[in-house]
Amino acid sequence: MTDMKLKELRELIPELGWIQSQELRDKTERLICDTLTKNGWNSDNISRSPVTLLRGTDITSVEHLRDVVQACHRLYPMAKKYCDRHGVAFDYDSVICGALLHDIGKYVEVIPDQNGAPRYSPRAKLIRHPLGGAILAAEYGFPDKIVHIIATHSFEGEHSFQTAESQFVKKIDDLVFQTSVYGIPLTT
């Protein structure tokens, strides 16, 4: 097993370069590299990490992550226009960083077995990925706004306060997940 190297990570997820703050980008890259390496993920087996173990799917966690980030990036200008019109703060780096890290806890929740196949980790029943990811981000010193995006991006956040950024990432994540895993159901 080899550690995930920064160069490999940047090739795997080029959208990391979209974070405008160098400090935030460096911190994000460090958290992802460290989390993957610590939990047995590397450039040889990361392509086997699925977006979910609940349903058989060929959608990888990295493909899902990149789709969410790309959709956030594309829709940000439109959302920013309306947030500005209504006097609502809406920060690009928070959106992109939050989208990049929203599922960081999945790399703790799901780990590779000795053959590289994904399986639930022992802590998966106790700490789902939104909480685990938020804890990791807080430990790395991320701003509360980004920790909040990670913590509230799934159903755990449905009854929580939501910032504009967290609502945006949550809705896009749900759309990408539902569409990629289940397809868009046709109505008659």
Side-chain angles (χ1 to χ4, degrees):
M1 173 177 48
T2 60
D3 291 353
M4 178 64 75
K5 304 289 190 270
L6 192 54
K7 181 177 184 265
E8 294 170 328
L9 180 66
R10 288 175 178 158
E11 289 171 2
L12 186 67
I13 309 170
E15 294 82 4
L16 285 158
W18 292 351
I19 299 174
Q20 296 169 352
S21 162
Q22 185 67 49
E23 179 183 354
L24 189 57
R25 185 179 331 123
D26 291 346
K27 193 180 288 193
T28 302
E29 291 172 342
R30 194 168 46 253
L31 173 56
I32 295 171
C33 278
D34 290 352
T35 301
L36 293 176
T37 299
K38 181 179 178 185
N39 292 286
W41 295 108
N42 58 57
S43 57
D44 297 326
N45 65 13
I46 193 68
S47 64
R48 295 181 70 186
S49 171
V51 67
T52 184
L53 286 178
L54 298 176
R55 176 184 170 103
T57 181
D58 65 345
I59 310 302
T60 69
S61 60
V62 173
E63 180 181 14
H64 169 76
L65 170 89
R66 293 189 64 206
D67 286 347
V68 171
V69 175
Q70 289 171 18
C72 285
H73 174 74
R74 288 185 186 120
L75 291 172
Y76 177 84
M78 179 268 309
K80 175 73 170 149
K81 174 180 75 172
Y82 292 117
C83 284
D84 286 350
R85 188 177 294 174
H86 295 287
V88 175
F90 194 61
D91 179 64
Y92 179 80
D93 269 4
S94 294
V95 166
I96 298 302
C97 183
L100 283 161
L101 294 177
H102 80 280
D103 276 346
I104 191 67
K106 281 196 177 184
Y107 298 109
V108 177
E109 185 180 70
V110 175
I111 57 174
D113 67 14
Q114 61 202 22
N115 299 315
R119 65 174 175 83
Y120 283 111
S121 71
R123 73 185 285 193
K125 288 183 181 177
L126 300 175
I127 302 175
R128 268 186 31 89
H129 73 277
L131 177 57
I135 291 168
L136 283 171
E139 288 174 346
Y140 271 71
F142 279 85
D144 287 346
K145 190 178 243 188
I146 292 168
V147 173
H148 172 78
I149 291 169
I150 299 165
T152 62
H153 83 273
S154 192
F155 65 79
E156 290 85 351
E158 289 177 7
H159 300 289
S160 300
F161 170 79
Q162 293 272 327
T163 63
E165 294 90 351
S166 66
Q167 286 182 58
F168 187 71
V169 172
K170 182 181 185 329
K171 289 177 187 304
I172 290 176
D173 173 49
D174 188 52
L175 174 68
V176 169
F177 181 85
Q178 296 296 326
T179 304
S180 64
V181 173
Y182 301 107
I184 298 175
L186 300 176
T187 58
T188 55

